[in-house]
Amino acid sequence: MNRYPWWKYAILAIALLVGLIYTLPNFFGEAPAVQVSSGKATLKLDSSSAERVKEVLAAAKLQPDFVVFEGNSVKARFADGDAQLQAKDALSKALNPDPANPSYIVALNLVSRSPKWLTSVRALPMYLGLDLRGGVHFLMQVDMKTALSKKMESIVGDIRSQLRDKNLRHAGIGRDGNAVDIRFRDAETLKAAADLLSQMTDLQWTQAPDGTDTKLIGTLKPEAARAVQDAALKQNITTLHNRVNELGVAEPVIQQQGADRVVIQLPGVQDTAKAKDIIGRTANLEFRLVDMSAEARAATEGVGPVPFGRERFTVGRGAPVVTYKEAVATGEMLTNAQPRPDQNNQPAVSVSLDAKGGRLMREMTRNNVGNFMAAILFEKGKGEVLTVARIQGEFGNDFQITGMGTTEAANDLSLLLRAGSLAAPMEIIEESTIGPTLGADNIAKGFHSVIWGFAAIAVFMCLYYLLFGVFSTLALGFNLLLLVAVLSMLQATLTLPGIAAIALTLGMAIDANVLINERVREELRAGASPQAAINTGYERAFATILDSNVTTLIAGIALFAFGSGPIKGFAVVHCLGILTSMFSAVVFSRGLVNLWYGRQKKLKSVSIGQVWKPKAQPAETPATNP
């Protein structure tokens, strides 16, 4: 009746072992470390980078605990902070001979002190939030001037296309800030162009004399400018969300502040350089037509000036090259990018553009078959040539970038394109790293509240329910162990609200044990045998526990769905705590009871405290007539 099969005990033993292993790293703490990551999107680190870091540290006579290549960076752990600072200086000097143009980011970091065998099974400590551990805070400003400039460049391109399609000849198109002027030689053409361009609702058109000609001036409307700025800000926030989420930073805060600023908080990230690497990649891709004129070739060879309206690039594959400044398509028009072999089975990247990008690409390639097109990656204001390829035919929404050389290069480019581009460059105007000192008191208070709360509950349960109270306390400890292990496995970020959720979970978990113990008492009070009382008590209590926890779980899910920031953190811990408490209260505690009482065939009593039985009512004396 009260015996578990062996496989149930095996499950409990495995759960206990897994809980211990994944909870253990939280007790080792963290050690100072130096992290080396790429400072450019086109520079990728590999395992050979770790060997180079080792050589630099050996030359500086520094002995790290270990140097490991992990993810996209190399980490070196040290015994103390002095060695950490010396290593940072040595690596910065050796890896970045030109500090004005650094290729590597060398930053201070913290690495878990967990033994290697724990790290090898991905047993890592959970992150602590800004209020507990500190983190990185950035205030970034969007370059709205560039966003408006891009919009005007796009509008100028559309104007040229529309006038060419209607065969309306103009004497030149110029741009001055947020205004564009088009010169015409005769009034008839100007009128036809004005009628055509009036359909562009973002511009306000006026006419003005220009010497012997007349020009049409289009000015970007204020509401259109605001719409461009809002769209740029939203796209940047969306792109930042994608980048941070892909890199696994838990519970980041990325929100708008004012008209042109974005606040970013990355809890648990002490490495400012790493955070910059995550959010600061303002890489934009542009496809540009290569200028093949004699003047451009002379400029390419460095024996002549760069023609007006062109730009010379000297860095990257295919460089040097002179291209037109006007981009045919940009990264914002990309809808997909995948590494796929070309028709010759060589590494290539298949690119898909949106409707506007496809139209522009089709128009350009139709008139430039046989010419060259360059893919330029702009990062930190500098352009780097990714590839220069010959236009083999008319492109559409889908085309391939060939000549990538290796499959790895094609994979890297496609990943960078899929990460999304920013609508406008962003600049960090304020940054701060919140140290752990401020959160030390919060950690201590939160830790003490959980420990003292647990101790008080344990004392009460043991005094009131005796041996069954001991089983309940062990189940409560098992629940806490599982909850911390699950949070560690998920690499969740624990905040003060999360600690509050843990304390609340302990209270709710003991409720389930109280229900079970009281049900067993009721059965004993009703005269059931001890074995039957245990079996019936657990079965009847389960339905009540399930109902109670399901309704609480629904509330927790609602908090997670509609809350944000700390509320979501509370909801995650709360929901996980409900699941682990049900498992520990119903399965683990009964496993202990079965192990203790289940094999006693002639069980006469159980240690569950005083069982108060109602006194028998005296029989009523029948009334007699006088």
Side-chain angles (χ1 to χ4, degrees), residues 234-302:
K234 289 179 180 176
Q235 182 175 336
N236 279 15
I237 290 175
T238 302
T239 302
L240 289 172
H241 266 293
N242 293 335
R243 291 179 180 178
V244 172
N245 289 338
E246 286 182 2
L247 292 173
V249 177
E251 298 187 32
V253 176
I254 304 173
Q255 59 188 17
Q256 179 180 347
Q257 184 179 81
D260 58 354
R261 294 180 177 180
V262 179
V263 172
I264 301 174
Q265 293 181 349
L266 303 178
V269 176
Q270 292 292 326
D271 186 358
T272 307
K274 181 182 178 182
K276 284 182 178 178
D277 187 39
I278 293 170
I279 63 175
R281 286 192 172 177
T282 55
N284 287 320
L285 186 72
E286 291 189 0
F287 296 100
R288 294 188 178 188
L289 188 63
V290 176
D291 187 0
M292 303 299 294
S293 65
E295 295 82 2
R297 284 199 293 272
T300 303
E301 296 169 359

Side-chain angles (χ1 to χ4, degrees), residues 340-586:
R340 291 195 182 95
D342 61 7
Q343 56 185 1
N344 298 319
N345 205 27
Q346 295 298 313
V349 177
S350 295
V351 179
S352 298
L353 301 177
D354 59 11
K356 181 181 178 182
R359 178 174 57 82
L360 295 174
M361 185 65 73
R362 189 177 300 107
E363 290 176 357
M364 187 277 290
T365 54
R366 183 188 304 151
N367 302 319
N368 292 280
V369 175
N371 290 341
F372 289 89
M373 184 177 68
I376 314 291
L377 184 69
F378 289 90
E379 191 175 22
K380 299 178 182 177
K382 298 179 181 179
E384 189 168 341
V385 183
L386 293 180
T387 181
V388 178
R390 185 184 291 276
I391 301 172
Q392 304 288 351
E394 180 179 323
F395 291 173
N397 292 53
D398 301 307
F399 62 94
Q400 283 191 322
I401 301 175
T402 58
M404 299 305 299
T406 62
T407 304
E408 187 178 8
N411 291 334
D412 291 344
L413 179 60
S414 60
L415 285 173
L416 184 61
L417 297 178
R418 285 202 306 271
S421 61
L422 299 174
M426 301 181 74
E427 181 185 5
I428 298 175
I429 60 174
E430 179 184 307
E431 65 176 84
S432 60
T433 302
I434 302 173
T437 306
L438 185 62
D441 290 341
N442 292 333
I443 293 176
K445 291 178 181 176
F447 185 75
H448 289 161
S449 64
V450 173
I451 293 299
W452 283 107
F454 184 91
I457 291 172
V459 169
F460 172 79
M461 293 297 292
C462 292
L463 292 178
Y464 194 69
Y465 291 110
L466 301 181
L467 187 56
F468 267 74
V470 175
F471 294 150
S472 300
T473 303
L474 292 175
L476 195 62
F478 182 72
N479 176 38
L480 184 60
L481 184 75
L482 282 187
L483 181 56
V484 175
V486 171
L487 291 174
S488 300
M489 281 191 282
L490 296 176
Q491 286 290 276
T493 300
L494 183 65
T495 60
L496 274 178
I499 292 180
I502 291 177
L504 180 63
T505 299
L506 292 179
M508 293 182 59
I510 205 63
D511 272 353
N513 291 99
V514 170
L515 281 172
I516 292 169
N517 295 344
E518 289 299 328
R519 286 287 188 184
V520 174
R521 277 184 169 183
E522 284 182 6
E523 295 300 321
L524 293 173
R525 193 178 299 127
S529 66
Q531 294 286 14
I534 292 172
N535 184 60
T536 309
Y538 269 97
E539 288 184 355
R540 291 185 177 179
F542 176 73
T544 307
I545 294 170
L546 183 65
D547 291 344
S548 171
N549 283 283
V550 165
T551 53
T552 311
L553 186 63
I554 292 172
I557 293 173
L559 282 176
F560 181 79
F562 300 104
S564 62
I567 296 177
K568 274 195 172 184
F570 177 88
V572 168
V573 179
H574 180 63
C575 292
L576 291 175
I578 290 171
L579 298 177
T580 56
S581 70
M582 287 189 64
F583 180 74
S584 61
V586 176

